[in-house]
Amino acid sequence: MDVPRVRIAPSPTGDPHVGTAYVALFNYAWARRQGGQFILRIDDTDRTRYQSKSEESIFRALRWLGLDWDEGPDVGGPCAPYRQSERQEIYQERVRELLARGAAYRCFCTAERLGELRQRQKERKEHLGYDGLCRTLDPEEAARRADVEGEVHVVRLRVPSGGSTVFRDELRGEITVANAEIDDQVLMKSDGFPTYHLANVVDDIAFGITEVVRAEEWLISTPKHVLLARAFDAPVPRYFHVPLLRNRDHSKISKRKNPVSLDWFRSEGYLPEALLNFLALMGWGTGDGEEVFGLDRFEREFRLEDISLGAPVFDLEKLEWLNGQYLRKLTAAELYERLRIEKMLPAGADEAGLARILPVIVERLHRLTDVAEMAGWYFGEPAHFPVGDLCPPKQQLADAAPILRESRNALAHLARFDAPSIETALEDVRVRLEVKKPQLFMPMRVALTGRKDSPGIHEVLLVLGPERSEARLTAALARVEEASGGAAS
Ligand code: GLU
């Protein structure tokens, strides 16, 4: 078998899409496994939807994921240029070739005529598509009208009029489409720009693409691509159309129902390795059912033939769970580095401090952003909270005063500030004040961390140490006393 040359061909039309990463992952892994090349091509022929910053953000997002390409617009390669907008002359030349072979023809039909045709076909519930009026024009006459008269025209693919087109999708088997159902596709628009179909096939041939691994939505265009490749006498690549990612309601994944921008996942604190693992699971599974696996294992074991054809539902909760798994694998130094790069370090955080607080919060971490959220109180003062948060459950705010005062005093008298001593001291306070554990712990928790949810109170005290704990309990006590008019003191 040839060494694979595979590609992705994203269009720079907006934020880098999670679907691009999904398809890139399969292409990348396949190329790596087989020692082939993974190519990044930029499909930017649709100038109406083009966004200049989009290309750069596609590069950045794919690099963040670690899906590096061997050839592409920014790294070059033997088939450069890799941006379709820079390949116009190649397409022009290839179209002339198709015209000369009779595999394509010039069409002079006006937009008005085509509009009427479409309307009529709709009314009669006929198959929509070009009716072939210009197919029979004399090619020399058509060339003269185009080149000498400068008449506006497009170039269309001459789909054979009878019979059918047969091709293979490697995941689905042989597919037969009646030629009557394949439209005489426009290959070159009237402005001289190629359509996606032409540019795509010309480039896949020029780049020596062996396997086209792309989203299922392109399956419907594949007969046209196969006809085109054959018209060029070029080998037809092996096609693998991977199932689309889906919203919970099984519709195609969309912005309205799911986050789809790779930049979003990054800014929300997802790890690239977790997102890759998650995307791999959408179309593949390990033989042993293990769900947490790295890119290295995926590269080793993945085969294109094993892509599953289910309709993978994009389940953010699953991703969140996976992300937690990967976060817990990081050492404090690694985590610190990730947070630093993503500018998500809690204010005032240093590596040693992170190493101390990490064991206390690690079990509840789901995203990088959780660190600042859950440990901000450790590196700085607790975030400002309403005094009412100090109110013990089912009690009055004033009842928080003895709780805070007694626990502060008890802790201040400890000979050793360690877990067993803290536990005994607080239990004594609880029994003396005749309160339940949540009634004791809630005001303390808020006083110490500014949060209603936090790690266990003993852990919080231990990691803060005696002085900081005392200061916070005192400050909270003062607020309670002030708010309850000193009644409780
Ligand atoms: N530009 C197309 C896309 O955005 C490429 C489709 C293909 O891979 O052929 O998905």
Side-chain angles (χ1 to χ4, degrees):
M1 197 169 71
D2 289 341
V3 171
R5 281 178 63 78
V6 292
R7 87 316 188 261
I8 53 164
S11 299
T13 53
D15 287 344
H17 199 278
V18 69
T20 300
Y22 173 61
V23 171
L25 171 65
F26 295 137
N27 278 284
Y28 170 91
W30 182 241
R32 292 290 166 268
R33 179 189 160 117
Q34 299 289 113
Q37 287 95 37
F38 171 51
I39 299 163
L40 172 59
R41 183 175 83 214
I42 291 290
D43 263 14
D44 58 353
T45 49
D46 185 350
R47 301 313 277 182
T48 53
R49 293 176 62 222
Y50 176 77
Q51 287 187 23
S52 59
K53 293 210 174 76
S54 176
E55 180 184 293
E56 200 46 54
S57 58
I58 292 171
F59 295 167
R60 201 178 329 111
L62 292 174
R63 289 223 162 84
W64 168 66
L65 287 168
L67 301 175
D68 292 328
W69 45 101
D70 305 300
E71 299 170 29
D74 56 339
V75 297
C79 304
Y82 292 91
R83 230 177 246 114
Q84 290 190 325
S85 58
E86 294 166 12
R87 300 175 62 79
Q88 298 299 331
E89 277 171 28
I90 300 172
Y91 306 129
Q92 309 262 356
E93 202 185 299
R94 301 298 265 161
V95 160
R96 281 197 291 274
E97 212 177 300
L98 289 176
L99 285 168
R101 292 169 178 225
Y105 63 92
R106 292 183 179 85
C107 167
F108 299 90
C109 291
T110 59
E112 200 185 352
R113 175 175 189 271
L114 295 175
E116 282 167 13
L117 173 65
R118 198 178 168 79
Q119 189 57 35
R120 208 167 50 239
Q121 287 171 335
K122 270 192 187 159
E123 278 164 17
R124 295 185 190 160
K125 299 201 167 50
E126 286 172 6
H127 182 71
L128 298 183
Y130 185 57
D131 61 356
L133 182 70
C134 295
R135 273 176 82 106
T136 48
L137 289 179
D138 171 46
E140 275 174 33
E141 168 65 5
R144 194 192 57 77
R145 282 171 66 179
D147 301 340
V148 183
E149 312 281 324
E151 235 183 281
V152 176
H153 67 284
V154 299
V155 176
R156 289 183 185 273
L157 174 66
R158 190 188 297 276
V159 176
S161 32
S164 47
T165 297
V166 183
F167 66 98
R168 268 185 75 75
D169 173 276
E170 302 299 328
L171 301 174
R172 294 167 180 78
E174 196 171 273
I175 297 178
T176 305
V177 183
N179 288 334
E181 284 177 19
I182 308 175
D183 197 18
D184 277 5
Q185 180 66 49
V186 174
L187 302 177
M188 187 71 95
K189 293 179 270 187
S190 55
D191 58 6
F193 272 81
T195 55
Y196 154 72
H197 304 282
L198 176 73
N200 172 63
V201 173
V202 166
D203 289 347
D204 283 350
I205 296 169
F207 295 179
I209 298 300
T210 52
E211 280 101 4
V212 169
V213 184
R214 62 182 172 190
E216 196 172 47
E217 63 191 308
W218 302 106
L219 183 58
I220 189 156
S221 303
T222 307
K224 295 172 188 170
H225 300 176
V226 170
L227 284 173
L228 261 174
R230 289 184 191 148
F232 282 122
D233 277 336
V236 175
R238 296 202 303 151
Y239 287 103
F240 297 80
H241 288 91
V242 303
L244 293 178
L245 300 174
R246 308 220 166 242
N247 299 313
R248 264 180 209 280
D249 60 7
H250 289 269
S251 54
K252 174 183 162 184
I253 194 167
S254 65
K255 248 197 254 187
R256 269 187 309 118
K257 299 190 180 153
N258 257 306
V260 293
S261 162
L262 292 170
D263 293 344
W264 182 88
F265 291 97
R266 186 170 186 179
S267 67
E268 288 294 308
Y270 290 100
L271 299 176
E273 56 270 49
L275 185 55
L276 286 181
N277 188 159
F278 175 71
L279 291 175
L281 278 175
M282 299 275 100
W284 185 77
T286 51
D288 57 15
E290 177 58 58
E291 289 198 306
V292 184
F293 53 84
L295 188 56
D296 50 347
R297 174 162 184 196
F298 186 55
E299 271 175 49
R300 249 189 345 265
E301 297 180 13
F302 169 70
R303 296 180 322 154
L304 285 173
E305 289 77 359
D306 297 337
I307 293 175
S308 55
L309 283 183
V313 171
F314 199 86
D315 177 2
L316 264 185
E317 276 169 35
K318 177 81 175 253
L319 173 60
E320 185 121 342
W321 172 79
L322 264 176
N323 209 54
Q325 303 293 313
Y326 280 94
L327 276 172
R328 281 183 263 294
K329 287 185 197 213
L330 298 179
T331 63
E334 287 164 345
L335 180 61
Y336 183 85
E337 195 48 20
R338 301 284 188 117
L339 291 166
R340 192 186 62 74
I341 291 170
E342 300 302 332
K343 299 192 175 53
M344 288 176 185
L345 275 170
D350 59 359
E351 199 181 313
L354 188 67
R356 268 197 302 280
I357 190 68
L358 190 55
V360 179
I361 58 168
V362 74
E363 283 310 316
R364 294 139 145 276
L365 283 185
H366 290 294
R367 306 183 189 185
L368 284 174
T369 43
D370 291 342
V371 177
E373 167 84 15
M374 287 168 47
W377 54 268
Y378 172 71
F379 294 104
E381 289 304 309
H384 187 75
F385 55 88
V387 68
D389 286 1
L390 290 161
C391 185
K394 300 197 181 114
Q395 289 192 307
Q396 307 293 317
L397 175 60
D399 298 327
I403 290 172
L404 293 168
R405 189 182 316 105
E406 294 300 312
S407 48
R408 177 198 61 189
N409 294 347
L411 293 166
H413 288 108
L414 286 182
R416 288 170 62 94
F417 202 78
D418 59 14
S421 320
I422 291 172
E423 200 166 327
T424 314
L426 292 184
E427 182 57 13
D428 284 352
V429 172
R430 192 186 72 75
V431 170
R432 198 150 18 93
L433 295 179
E434 293 179 2
V435 290
K436 298 198 163 67
K437 275 190 180 162
Q439 293 171 328
L440 181 77
F441 289 162
M442 179 58 93
M444 289 188 71
R445 164 171 295 128
V446 174
L448 293 166
T449 67
R451 297 170 57 88
K452 288 184 175 172
D453 61 329
S454 79
I457 207 76
H458 304 123
E459 288 174 289
V460 170
L461 286 163
L462 270 176
V463 77
L464 277 175
E467 288 84 20
R468 294 176 83 196
S469 300
E470 183 177 345
R472 289 179 187 200
L473 293 171
T474 302
L477 176 59
R479 286 185 68 191
V480 170
E481 286 175 339
E482 195 191 313
S484 45
S489 58

